[in-house]
Amino acid sequence: MARQYRAPQREEKARATRAHIVRTARELLLGGGGYAGMTITGLAEAAGVSPQTVYNSVGGKAEVIKAVYDVMLAGDEDQTPMSERPEFREVTEAADVPSYAAAYAAWSRTIYDRVGPLLGVLVAHGPGGDPVLEAFVSTIDSERRKGNTHSLRGITERGQLASHDFDEAVDAVWTLTAPEVYDRLVQRCGWKPTAYERWLANQLRAALSG
């Protein structure tokens, strides 16, 4: 019985340790040191743990960055998939293209409000041949495309994209909602997030209508 009692405590401690390491990594990445300045050794020291604890709890630098991104993307540490959250369901359940475009633009703005600063640090100027960043960019691009594909199923099933090739529609949404677009408009050009949302809704509607 004692073992059964201690196991949940160990699991909770492990979750707390991981969360602490991820929060510390976020602070290091966004606090001026950036990607190049964050090392596993430095992260471990800042978090008050050993480097091996970082590897055991989260992983290497690639896994740490992805963990930071995932928490910022969700806005919390809840394990509920993004596709099941109310904001994304508004996209998948949209009745027509204009409703879809408005809902997806709002969703994208919310997402990039959360992760925009991190993406600016990591990918604004491209991965530059760094294998960790290349893997990160490849992973989030793949995940985004899956999300884009899923988002279009609803209006496709309701016959709203009858005149469009589905793969081309996915290509358009994948391109328009790319983090690089948000970074250029909001971070570099100084657009307000509301202006980005309005622009994106118009572009999505134009790309998927007619």
Side-chain angles (χ1 to χ4, degrees):
M1 295 297 292
R3 290 180 180 177
Q4 293 177 352
Y5 175 73
R6 287 198 300 268
Q9 289 183 325
R10 287 198 299 270
E11 292 172 1
E12 180 58 32
K13 183 177 180 180
R15 284 194 292 268
T17 298
R18 176 185 170 87
H20 173 62
I21 291 170
V22 172
R23 284 195 298 270
T24 304
R26 173 181 175 174
E27 292 169 2
L28 292 176
L29 287 166
L30 301 181
Y35 169 79
M38 195 200 77
T39 64
I40 294 299
T41 299
L43 170 59
E45 182 177 349
V49 299
S50 69
Q52 191 59 51
T53 297
V54 175
Y55 286 114
N56 292 344
S57 298
V58 187
K61 191 169 183 177
E63 290 78 15
V64 168
I65 289 171
K66 185 60 167 60
V68 173
Y69 172 81
D70 286 343
V71 171
M72 292 181 70
L73 184 71
D76 53 48
E77 295 175 9
D78 188 346
Q79 297 300 307
T80 302
M82 300 298 284
S83 61
E84 296 179 12
R85 297 189 175 221
E87 300 92 335
F88 192 76
R89 291 184 62 182
E90 288 186 20
V91 178
T92 59
E93 295 173 4
D96 51 34
V97 168
S99 299
Y100 169 90
Y104 212 153
W107 167 257
S108 295
R109 174 195 167 183
T110 298
I111 290 298
Y112 290 133
D113 280 349
R114 295 172 185 163
V115 301
L118 177 64
L119 290 173
V121 168
L122 296 177
V123 302
H125 305 290
D130 185 292
V132 172
L133 282 185
E134 287 181 349
F136 173 78
V137 171
S138 177
T139 297
I140 65 172
D141 271 351
S142 176
E143 290 181 350
R144 280 201 317 107
R145 191 171 183 86
K146 289 178 182 176
N148 299 150
T149 301
H150 179 57
S151 77
L152 286 165
R153 294 295 183 192
I155 56 173
T156 299
E157 292 170 357
R158 286 183 279 280
Q160 298 296 310
L161 289 180
S163 63
H164 284 73
D165 178 85
F166 183 77
D167 288 338
E168 288 183 3
V170 174
D171 291 343
V173 175
W174 184 68
T175 299
L176 289 169
T177 60
E180 294 86 353
V181 174
Y182 173 91
D183 182 75
R184 286 180 182 274
L185 295 178
V186 177
Q187 304 295 343
R188 300 197 203 180
C189 296
W191 283 28
K192 292 182 178 180
T194 51
Y196 164 78
E197 180 181 341
R198 185 166 55 250
W199 174 87
L200 181 57
N202 289 336
Q203 298 304 314
L204 288 169
R205 186 167 56 251
L208 299 175
S209 296

